[in-house]
Amino acid sequence: MNIQQYYRKTASISLSVSLATLIPPFFMIIYGIMIARDGRMILVVLPFLVYSFFCYQYYLVCDQRAKAFTERQMDDKSMNQPLLKSNYALIHFSPSTTVRMLFFSTTGKLLGELKERKIQSISWFLPPFLDRHFEKRYVLYDGLNNVIANFHLQKRKIEITDKDGNLINIINGEGNDRQLKFEFVSSGKKIMVTRTLLYMDYQIFHNQIRICRLQKGMMPLEWENHIKDPNTPVLSFEQDISEEEKINILAILSKILL
């Protein structure tokens, strides 16, 4: 998958949701006019119509972004570095009941994906403040859909295992997107995470030195040839951190963004 295919897929989903949202108000209006003869029915269908309108607008935006690419950009055969060797990754969140992150390179190619191993059907009906209390199991894949690591998110710890289920690390601590500052402990080392209140800006520190940042709205202009949304969240790693540390950071981010 590349970024153009992602825009096309998201546009298709948005259009389908927009059309599906019109089905309930269609029958409600018929009922209100022909049976109940109650004009107040419009107040019931109004939220559906508004939601359908915004989904359709998002479809137009994603469709325009997908069409903005040139043939030369899509014919680019250059290879990307693996996810764990890249210092930058641009993140898109796919429609899902839980965290599902797609990592793209600065040239718009898929570096990897983080998604839940098995989504429970009940998750579609639970509000986020309840769903977050259930244990989650996520899988981190590379760009070729090979398993890099497994994350078992529990109440106050994260267990990280390799593709064969062997334990790699345990991270202790609790954090979620309602807090401005939280602390984790990995192999006896403290990892501090801070965030801003009004927009996405997560910074991760080790020994008071920043090792990672997830920020929205600060994408360099030179990347816009491949990434059409300037508000795409940018995940940046410091150059001197190891692959193991990057896996730990991705596990912590999945815990926070849950």
Side-chain angles (χ1 to χ4, degrees), residues 47-101:
F48 291 91
L49 300 179
V50 171
Y51 184 68
S52 177
F53 171 79
F54 281 108
C55 287
Y56 183 73
Q57 294 302 310
Y58 191 58
Y59 152 74
L60 294 177
V61 170
C62 292
D63 184 61
Q64 184 179 20
R65 288 171 180 168
K67 294 178 179 178
F69 290 89
T70 64
E71 292 184 6
R72 182 182 62 81
Q73 290 170 325
M74 291 299 99
D75 290 339
D76 184 8
K77 303 299 183 182
S78 61
M79 298 296 293
N80 285 316
Q81 285 186 316
L83 173 61
L84 298 182
K85 294 185 180 297
S86 301
N87 292 325
Y88 295 97
L90 294 107
I91 298 179
H92 277 285
F93 296 88
S94 290
S96 176
T97 59
T98 60
V99 174
R100 184 178 181 185
M101 293 188 287

Side-chain angles (χ1 to χ4, degrees), residues 151 153 158 160 171 246-255:
F151 304 149
L153 277 57
I158 308 170
I160 304 176
I171 301 175
K246 290 181 179 180
I247 292 177
N248 293 337
I249 289 171
L250 293 174
I252 290 173
L253 286 176
S254 66
K255 174 73 170 177

Side-chain angles (χ1 to χ4, degrees), residues 2-18:
N2 56 42
I3 193 68
Q4 184 189 42
Q5 294 168 334
Y6 167 80
Y7 288 142
R8 285 177 176 170
K9 182 178 180 180
T10 304
S12 176
I13 292 175
S14 299
L15 181 60
S16 299
V17 172
S18 177

